[in-house]
Each structure stands twice: as C-alpha cells, then as structure tokens.
C-alpha cells in the first residue's frame, strides 16, 4: 500500500472554495474552527464516507478515460485510494464499488468526454469584472484568489459542462431517486455560481453550464443526469457575493488574529443535512467541556 504521507489526492473541497466563503458569511465560529484552525471531526458520518468513496471510484474512472490522465491517478490506483480513505471500513468500500459497477453498466458507451477530473481551478475576483468597470468597494479584494475543485469538466453533445456528482439515499417509498422537479436545490447554489465564474475565467472554450450526476448509493441503484437552468440575474450577482464574502473573511481573520473571539450565529447550527460539525462544541455547558471536545473529537489538517 502506498505510504499515506506521499499521497496528496483526495476528493473534496478546494483550498479557497465556496464552502469556506459561505462559512465566512454564515457563522464566524464555523469559519474560525474549520478554516482558520483547520479542524475536522475525527469520525466521518457513515453516509459522508460512503459518498466520498463513490466519488473516489468515479474520479479514477473518468481519469482513466482521458488521453493524458492526471498525475494523481497514476500515483495511486483506485483500490489503493479506496483502502486509504476507507481504512477500517471494508463493508463501506464494498458498497461503494458495487454502486460504481452499477453506474458503469448504466452508462456503458457513455458520450461524456472528460477534460478535467478533480482539478482545482483558480481565479482572481478582479477577473470576474474584466469586461466592465469594477465597483469601488471590491477594489481591496480584486487580487484575492478564489478556487473551486470540480468533480468533472467534460464535453457532452459538443459542449463543455461542469459536472458535480451527488450521492443520496433516495426515496424510501419508491426505492428510486427523489423526483428532480425544478432542481431548485441546486439552482441557487453558491457552489454552482462560484464554480462557473472561476472555470469560465480559466479555460478558453465556452462553458455551457452546470450538470448534476445523481447516484443512489444503495440498492436498488438509480442514476440520472440533469442540467441546471440558472437565473442569469442571480448568476451575474453571484460575483458580488463572492467579493463580499472575501471582504467578510478578511475582517474576521483580522479580528481573530488581534485577539477577538469569533461571533456566533446559531441560525446555522442545524440544516437539512443535520447538525454542524461543531454543534457539540457550541452546545456544551462549559468552556472546559468545549476545550476537551476540540482536543479529543477533532483533528487539525496538517498536524498541530
């Protein structure tokens, strides 16, 4: 097995992506713990781990279809990658591989041509305003670089699409994926907007839009692909949101480094995905308990 210290590839968020900027807008404590102190829970939620492992399978699969596969896919095989990320969870690895095999059967002879797989794109905020005058309030952060790491950029029907893989438990009554409906869960997503602004600033070819590849992660397996119909007004205004979040992040960091404690926003403690990663810390009865939880239940990326 490849030495863990030699591996850098992992599916997941980018270095300065929409989740980080969203945290700056939503809760200073979340931003401070997750992005300033770089803390992550020691244990992943089971559904999160399974989703990560399915993403890993898809990343290696689409990378293998490229004329020039990315280096990370040559440094470590899919099996090695799964063993590392799913260490101690062989049943979870098996489930991910079963879902992946069903996916391959469903899309045999696929027309998608991968162009980038798990690639991190970077762009300055100023590049979002290169064809028009930039508002004065954005000037202080015009050279700030924001990033996105996308599951896949592919050619589909002669057009370039940004693709995000989404795994779900599906509908317990029908055994299928939930009805797509209008796709409103994604059509106002900051992640979608930021990814499109960055990638359109980085590659020469026109980018048609954003697509969601959905996978039901348990039997009976179910899959579908949907393209998003985005509001051009919302898309245009999203670049201002990115700039505002960057200004907000800069202010939070400055205050924290000056010794001020981050301010809470308890409106963000619980969402449809469950409690925030730091719910137990913020809801603890004493500062001593909070400190103990941070020491025992979380690990710092890069080591302390």
């Amino acid at each position: 097995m490849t030495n863990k210290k030699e591996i850098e590839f992992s599916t997941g968020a980018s270095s300065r992506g929409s989740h980080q900027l969203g945290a700056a807008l939503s809760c200073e404590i979340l931003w401070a713990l997750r992005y300033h102190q770089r803390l992550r829970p020691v244990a992943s939620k089971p559904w999160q781990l399974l989703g990560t492992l399915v993403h890993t399978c898809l990343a290696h699969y689409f990378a293998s279809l490229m004329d020039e596969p990315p280096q990370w896919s040559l440094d470590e095989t899919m099996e090695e990658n799964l063993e590392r990320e799913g260490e101690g969870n062989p049943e979870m690895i098996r489930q991910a591989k079963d879902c992946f095999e069903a996916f391959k059967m469903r899309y045999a002879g696929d027309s998608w041509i991968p162009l980038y797989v798990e690639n991190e794109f970077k762009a300055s905020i100023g590049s979002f305003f290169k064809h028009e005058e930039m508002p004065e309030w954005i000037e202080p952060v015009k050279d700030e670089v924001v990033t996105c790491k996308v599951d896949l950029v592919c050619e589909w029907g002669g057009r370039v699409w940004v693709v995000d893989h989404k795994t779900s438990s599906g509908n317990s009554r029908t055994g299928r994926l939930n009805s797509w409906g209008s796709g409103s869960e994604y059509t106002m997503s900051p992640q979608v907007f930021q990814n499109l602004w960055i990638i359109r600033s980085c590659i020469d070819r026109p980018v048609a839009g954003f697509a969601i590849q959905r996978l039901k992660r348990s039997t009976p397996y179910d899959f579908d692909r949907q393209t998003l119909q985005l509001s051009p007004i919302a898309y245009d205004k999203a670049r201002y949101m990115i700039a505002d979040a960057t200004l907000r992040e800069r202010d939070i960091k400055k205050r924290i480094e000056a010794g001020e404690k981050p301010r809470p926003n308890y409106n963000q403690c619980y969402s449809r995905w469950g409690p925030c990663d730091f719910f137990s810390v913020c809801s603890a009865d004493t500062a001593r308990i909070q400190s103990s939880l941070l020491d025992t239940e979380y690990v710092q990326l890069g080591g302390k």
Side-chain angles (χ1 to χ4, degrees):
M1 181 176 176
T2 309
N3 189 314
K4 290 183 182 181
K5 294 183 179 179
E6 297 174 356
I7 299 299
E8 295 184 355
F9 169 73
S10 177
T11 59
S14 63
S15 55
R16 273 187 53 77
S18 60
H19 295 293
Q20 177 168 336
L21 295 182
L25 290 174
S26 62
C27 179
E28 293 186 12
I29 292 179
L30 172 61
W31 183 89
L33 293 176
R34 187 170 181 83
Y35 298 105
H36 192 60
Q37 296 187 36
R38 308 189 316 283
L39 297 179
R40 300 292 186 274
V42 171
S44 298
K45 299 180 178 73
W47 61 268
Q48 288 179 323
L49 176 58
L50 182 53
T52 296
L53 296 175
V54 172
H55 273 71
T56 296
C57 292
L58 295 173
H60 280 273
Y61 170 67
F62 283 111
S64 73
L65 300 179
M66 299 176 68
D67 292 334
E68 296 183 12
Q71 188 60 43
W72 59 259
S73 68
L74 304 176
D75 291 339
E76 184 179 36
T77 66
M78 186 183 84
E79 292 288 348
E80 291 171 334
N81 203 161
L82 289 172
E83 184 180 347
R84 174 173 56 84
E85 294 198 331
E87 185 176 8
N89 294 276
E91 178 60 21
M92 202 78 75
I93 293 174
R94 184 196 64 77
Q95 291 179 42
K97 291 166 71 174
D98 286 351
C99 179
F100 169 57
E101 291 300 325
F103 171 88
K104 286 199 298 182
M105 290 180 62
R106 168 66 176 80
Y107 292 106
D110 196 357
S111 61
W112 280 6
I113 302 173
L115 303 175
Y116 301 92
V117 180
E118 291 292 338
N119 189 79
E120 183 170 83
F121 295 89
K122 303 177 181 181
S124 68
I125 291 175
S127 69
F128 303 156
F129 298 89
K130 57 188 175 185
H131 299 303
E132 60 194 90
E133 184 177 354
M134 181 187 303
E136 185 176 340
W137 66 269
I138 296 178
E139 285 286 338
V141 292
K142 68 177 182 179
D143 295 325
E144 288 272 1
V145 172
V146 291
T147 68
C148 68
K149 185 178 180 183
V150 296
D151 294 334
L152 177 68
V153 178
C154 70
E155 185 176 308
W156 183 17
R159 307 172 76 192
V160 175
W161 292 86
V162 180
V163 180
D164 196 19
H165 307 311
K166 298 289 187 184
T167 63
S168 76
S169 58
N171 188 302
S172 59
R173 183 177 60 84
T174 64
R176 304 289 301 276
L177 288 167
N178 289 315
S179 173
W180 175 256
S182 64
S184 57
E185 179 180 357
Y186 306 109
T187 53
M188 292 296 288
S189 165
Q191 177 186 1
V192 170
F193 291 137
Q194 181 162 325
N195 287 6
L196 284 174
W197 271 109
I198 293 172
I199 293 171
R200 283 171 171 161
S201 298
C202 289
I203 67 177
D204 295 332
R205 295 181 61 180
V207 177
F210 206 98
I212 303 292
Q213 167 72 70
R214 297 197 299 169
L215 305 93
K216 183 171 174 287
R217 56 181 176 258
S218 59
T219 56
Y221 297 115
D222 193 20
F223 313 98
D224 71 6
R225 293 172 171 175
Q226 307 284 350
T227 56
L228 301 182
Q229 304 300 314
L230 304 178
S231 159
I233 295 176
Y235 172 72
D236 180 69
K237 291 184 179 298
R239 53 189 169 155
Y240 299 94
M241 177 191 68
I242 296 168
D244 186 44
T246 304
L247 283 166
R248 171 78 168 159
E249 181 181 54
R250 179 181 286 189
D251 175 62
I252 297 170
K253 183 178 180 181
K254 181 180 179 181
R255 287 189 282 105
I256 289 174
E257 291 181 346
E260 183 178 327
K261 291 185 178 181
R263 304 164 189 169
N265 179 5
Y266 298 138
N267 289 299
Q268 304 299 322
C269 291
Y270 211 95
S271 72
R272 63 183 290 266
W273 294 281
C276 164
D277 283 347
F278 301 98
F279 183 93
S280 62
V281 176
C282 291
S283 61
D285 291 340
T286 67
R288 182 177 179 180
I289 295 174
Q290 288 182 323
S291 179
S292 176
L293 287 170
L294 289 172
D295 286 341
T296 59
E297 301 298 322
Y298 300 87
V299 62
Q300 187 176 56
L301 296 185
K304 292 187 178 182

